[in-house]
């Protein structure tokens, strides 16, 4: 594997040609983001990813891409505003200040999960909310 500006791919199969958005295209040469002026930033879906948070000129919001790319309106004006909300949620609470996923600890690791419909499996018994 060789790296082309942060993208890993088999040697010889990468094209250094960038799309209008500045992202490297997929293996087939297509920008699956359709030129959207956002950068996928965070995801809790390590298997996909099919959803997560993005950052763009308008702020931080959520995206999903199971069949068709959809970017919601930004929930936070900037990365700084997002990080301030995370800090407030972790230090002051309430635990659900940022939505249904609440911060908790599993074996010393910070894990955000939804207590009403948890995604954790074997580790669920060890998950304890921060607040």
């Amino acid at each position: 594997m060789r790296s082309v500006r942060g993208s890993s791919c088999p040697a010889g199969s990468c094209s250094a040609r960038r799309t209008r958005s500045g992202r490297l295209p997929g293996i087939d040469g297509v920008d699956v983001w359709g030129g959207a002026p956002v950068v996928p930033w965070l995801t809790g879906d390590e298997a996909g990813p099919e959803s997560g948070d993005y950052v763009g000129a308008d702020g931080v919001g959520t995206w999903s891409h199971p069949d068709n790319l959809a970017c919601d309106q930004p929930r936070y004006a900037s990365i700084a505003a997002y990080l301030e909300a995370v800090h407030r949620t972790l230090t002051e609470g309430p635990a659900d200040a940022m939505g249904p996923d609440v911060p908790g600890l599993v074996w010393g690791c910070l894990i955000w999960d939804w207590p009403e419909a948890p995604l954790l499996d074997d580790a669920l018994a060890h998950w304890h909310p921060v607040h």
Side-chain angles (χ1 to χ4, degrees), residues 75-76 85-104 111-116 127 129-131:
R75 291 183 297 165
Y76 304 95
V86 170
H87 179 261
R88 258 190 327 275
T89 301
L90 291 174
T91 58
E92 301 169 13
D96 62 354
M98 294 182 68
D101 287 346
V102 300
I111 304 288
W112 295 70
D113 205 358
W114 187 8
E116 302 299 318
W127 183 84
V130 172
H131 299 286

Side-chain angles (χ1 to χ4, degrees), residues 7-119:
S7 175
S8 296
C9 56
S13 69
C14 288
S15 168
R17 181 175 52 65
R18 291 186 176 272
T19 61
R20 285 182 307 151
S21 63
R23 284 184 290 276
L24 288 172
I27 293 172
D28 58 1
V30 175
D31 178 7
V32 297
W33 288 82
V38 299
V39 175
W41 181 40
L42 300 171
T43 183
D45 181 14
E46 70 281 352
E50 293 186 347
S51 64
D53 290 336
Y54 71 82
V55 64
D58 294 332
V60 176
T62 59
W63 62 269
S64 62
H65 199 325
D67 295 320
N68 202 347
L69 177 66
C71 292
D72 295 341
Q73 291 293 327
R75 291 183 297 165
Y76 304 95
S78 65
I79 291 176
Y82 173 83
L83 293 175
E84 286 175 7
V86 170
H87 179 261
R88 258 190 327 275
T89 301
L90 291 174
T91 58
E92 301 169 13
D96 62 354
M98 294 182 68
D101 287 346
V102 300
L105 295 174
V106 174
W107 303 309
C109 298
L110 178 63
I111 304 288
W112 295 70
D113 205 358
W114 187 8
E116 302 299 318
L119 294 176

